[in-house]
Structure formats: structure tokens, C-alpha cells
Amino acid sequence: MFLLSKTDKRQHPPLYASTVAAGFPSPADDYMEGALDLNEFLISHPAATFMVRVEGASMTGAGILSGDVLIVDRSVESRSGHIVIAIISGELTVKRLIKGDNGWFLKAEHPDYPPTKIDPDAECSIWGVVTGSVRRFVP
């Protein structure tokens, strides 16, 4: 885990109030909103939060790529539609939790991966709800 403590003396990068256009460019705005502490921005419940690195392609449709770091909050009650970290037969997996007509499913966000029905008798538990992700573009 790479959480920064409140006593960490690192400088926080500035957060500019203007947004950046993802379509047509707009004039730059020099107004700075303040400093951005990524811990405060990404983590609502520090004592209940952990991070895990993704391996695999089953969630690419949700914008989760192999190598991403997921922020997972164990204090958030999971519900249908949430992306969750689940343990199935001792293995961690990230999937979308879905309540269907025939029960609960863990659904991948990639067509090559079928949904997994959660059998009430199976060894399956939800470890937490994914609340965010971090991705580096340049090492």
C-alpha cells in the first residue's frame, strides 16, 4: 500500500480550477484552485481502504486495464452495479456485481469472459467496493 501520512512533507501538486477539453481546445485559464492531496481525493475511509493491482483483461470495458491500481473501500455496502473485489475459492477477482432474475452474478466487462453465478453454497465473499483507480501513462 502506498498511502501518504498526514505528516508526509511532500508537496501536493496544484489543482487548476479550469477543466481540460477532451474535444476541441479551449483557452487556458491561469486560475489555480489549490493543492490536490490524492489521498483525500481518492480515499473516503482510510481505515477501511486498501489498494490492489489489476492483472488481466476481463474489466477493460469498464476502463480497468491490466497494471491499474484499484482503490477498494471495505466500508461501502456492495449493491448491484458496483464493481467489487470478490474472493471465489480463495482467488481474488474484480468484477461487476449484478442482481439478476436467477440470483447474483459477477460480470466481467469483456465479451470473452462469461459471468459467474454466485452459488449460495460456494466459497464466495465480497471484500470491498472499487471506488477508484490509478494509472500511469509514462513510467
Side-chain angles (χ1 to χ4, degrees):
M1 225 181 274
F2 51 86
L3 299 177
L4 301 177
S5 71
K6 292 288 184 185
T7 58
D8 194 325
K9 300 297 182 198
R10 297 181 194 188
Q11 290 186 347
H12 301 290
L15 173 64
Y16 288 91
S18 62
T19 58
V20 63
F24 294 103
S26 64
D29 185 7
D30 288 335
Y31 179 72
M32 189 172 80
E33 184 177 325
L36 177 62
D37 180 340
L38 291 176
N39 288 310
E40 289 178 16
F41 180 70
L42 294 170
I43 299 171
S44 299
H45 307 102
T49 300
F50 68 95
M51 295 181 200
V52 62
R53 189 172 304 277
V54 176
E55 182 179 320
S58 71
M59 293 301 287
T60 56
I64 298 172
L65 306 180
S66 191
D68 287 356
V69 175
L70 302 179
I71 295 96
V72 183
D73 192 329
R74 295 193 71 174
S75 71
V76 175
E77 187 174 334
S78 60
R79 63 177 196 255
S80 186
H82 279 165
I83 296 174
V84 299
I85 301 297
I87 300 177
I88 302 173
S89 301
E91 300 279 330
L92 285 176
T93 188
V94 57
K95 299 287 183 279
R96 190 173 302 275
L97 182 64
I98 299 293
K99 172 74 168 139
D101 293 338
N102 298 326
W104 288 92
F105 293 84
L106 293 172
K107 180 182 176 288
E109 296 286 339
H110 189 287
D112 291 346
Y113 299 85
T116 302
K117 185 170 183 354
I118 300 175
D119 185 338
D121 298 328
E123 292 182 34
C124 178
S125 63
I126 305 299
W127 249 32
V129 174
V130 176
T131 59
S133 68
V134 179
R135 176 181 309 138
R136 286 188 68 145
F137 292 109
V138 179

